[in-house]
Amino acid sequence: MAELRYGPNGESLIPGTPAYEKGSKVKPVFPTVTNTGTSTSGYPSFTSNVPGIQLPGLPPARYASPDEAKDWFKYLPTKNKALYNDFIADLARKGIAKKYAQLVWNDAVGWTQSLGSTSGNPFEYLNVMDPSMYKGEGDSGPKYGTQAVKDTRITQYSGSSAAQQINDEMERRLGRRASQAEVDAYTKALNIASKKEPSTYQGTTTTAAPKGKNTMGSTTSTGTQSTGFDPTMFARNFAMSQPDYAESFAANTFLGLVEKLLKDPNAIGQVVQA
């Protein structure tokens, strides 16, 4: 039986062929390299042409794996808030939204480990990156400057608050509380009137880039606020429009005159003039 011979890639060769005659009697063994650069075959290990990943807080001789580096940034806000805020501020200056922070960092880690990379510091990726890669739909970069602002709001009155208003006014003007039908009618009319006089804020808002302690930038608003609809006069007019208001008004006026005479009988001339 012919002996086994092997080709340069470890393949078995067929006896009688030219390749067999030139083949090796010893099967080649190729090294297996782990992510730590340690050979498991007994042959000398080799290291890829990439630098180790450097992270703040690691000893000088300690490098992080790609997965370790990505997790390090994921939990950075809970361990070093200041450093995290600095990174977010750098992104903001490039017009990149905070929501892309982890994606940018993951790419930065990948950049350090790409063949030919000369830096193991992921933070340096921000100096060479293309910011447009991290702008989705609606992301158009930092919006710094001044813009006009108008905020219009309409007060919607609930049944209970409207009932309180009209009951107070009815007791004051008519000496009685409003019926449920009157409360319902008042509430409906009140909200219709409120829509016609909304509260309005009109002014400008100025947004500035991150600076100093304002790591996320700053916003200043200046403008004028209108008061909008006031239900006080509306409730009074509603109460005075009720059919029994005239009778109540006359009765109250007469009682007022009588009370005045009782206090000062000589005021009869004033009563007659009234």
Side-chain angles (χ1 to χ4, degrees), residues 44-93:
S45 63
F46 63 88
T47 303
S48 300
N49 184 29
V50 294
I53 301 175
Q54 305 162 359
L55 297 176
L58 290 183
R62 169 73 160 88
Y63 296 109
S65 70
D67 287 342
E68 286 177 329
K70 293 174 183 179
D71 283 343
W72 177 86
F73 183 81
K74 180 179 180 180
Y75 300 107
L76 184 60
T78 65
K79 297 180 179 180
N80 193 330
K81 187 70 172 179
L83 183 59
Y84 177 78
N85 286 341
D86 286 344
F87 185 84
I88 298 302
D90 284 341
L91 294 186
R93 282 188 282 270

Side-chain angles (χ1 to χ4, degrees), residues 23 25 32-33 51 57 64 68 71 73-74 94 101 136 141 143 170-171 195 200 206 229 235 250 252 255:
K25 296 181 181 180
T32 301
V33 180
E68 286 177 329
D71 283 343
F73 183 81
K74 180 179 180 180
K94 295 178 180 295
K143 299 177 178 62
M170 294 278 273
E171 288 180 344
K195 288 182 180 179
T200 303
T206 301
F229 178 72
N252 289 336
L255 290 175

Side-chain angles (χ1 to χ4, degrees), residues 4-7 10-14:
L4 293 175
R5 292 189 180 183
Y6 304 94
E11 71 275 18
S12 298
L13 301 175
I14 301 174

Side-chain angles (χ1 to χ4, degrees), residues 199-269:
S199 170
T200 303
Y201 171 84
Q202 196 161 0
T204 58
T205 297
T206 301
T207 303
K211 183 179 180 181
K213 294 182 179 180
N214 298 324
T215 57
M216 301 302 293
S218 61
T219 301
T220 304
S221 297
T222 304
T224 302
Q225 175 78 51
S226 68
T227 56
F229 178 72
D230 184 351
T232 304
M233 184 65 71
F234 188 83
R236 189 186 74 174
N237 291 338
F238 185 89
M240 293 172 63
S241 69
Q242 300 308 305
D244 54 339
Y245 172 72
E247 179 182 345
S248 175
F249 178 77
N252 289 336
T253 301
F254 177 75
L255 290 175
L257 293 175
V258 171
E259 184 179 1
K260 189 173 183 180
L261 286 173
L262 291 175
K263 291 181 178 179
D264 183 10
N266 297 323
I268 183 65

Side-chain angles (χ1 to χ4, degrees), residues 118-259:
T118 58
S119 173
N121 183 357
F123 288 95
E124 293 185 4
Y125 175 67
L126 272 65
N127 299 326
V128 298
M129 64 183 289
D130 179 3
S132 65
M133 294 172 55
Y134 306 98
K135 294 180 182 177
E137 184 177 353
D139 296 325
S140 56
K143 299 177 178 62
Y144 303 137
T146 301
Q147 62 179 343
V149 176
K150 184 176 182 180
D151 182 8
T152 301
R153 301 188 182 190
I154 296 173
T155 301
Q156 179 76 20
Y157 294 92
S158 66
S160 58
S161 64
Q164 183 66 49
Q165 294 169 14
I166 193 58
N167 276 325
D168 290 347
E169 198 62 36
M170 294 278 273
E171 288 180 344
R172 185 180 301 110
R173 303 290 174 181
L174 282 73
R176 66 175 179 83
R177 295 177 67 82
S179 66
Q180 186 59 52
E182 289 171 332
V183 170
D184 293 342
Y186 173 76
T187 303
K188 181 178 180 181
L190 178 68
N191 284 318
I192 292 175
S194 178
K195 288 182 180 179
K196 296 178 181 179
E197 296 184 58
S199 170
T200 303
Y201 171 84
Q202 196 161 0
T204 58
T205 297
T206 301
T207 303
K211 183 179 180 181
K213 294 182 179 180
N214 298 324
T215 57
M216 301 302 293
S218 61
T219 301
T220 304
S221 297
T222 304
T224 302
Q225 175 78 51
S226 68
T227 56
F229 178 72
D230 184 351
T232 304
M233 184 65 71
F234 188 83
R236 189 186 74 174
N237 291 338
F238 185 89
M240 293 172 63
S241 69
Q242 300 308 305
D244 54 339
Y245 172 72
E247 179 182 345
S248 175
F249 178 77
N252 289 336
T253 301
F254 177 75
L255 290 175
L257 293 175
V258 171
E259 184 179 1

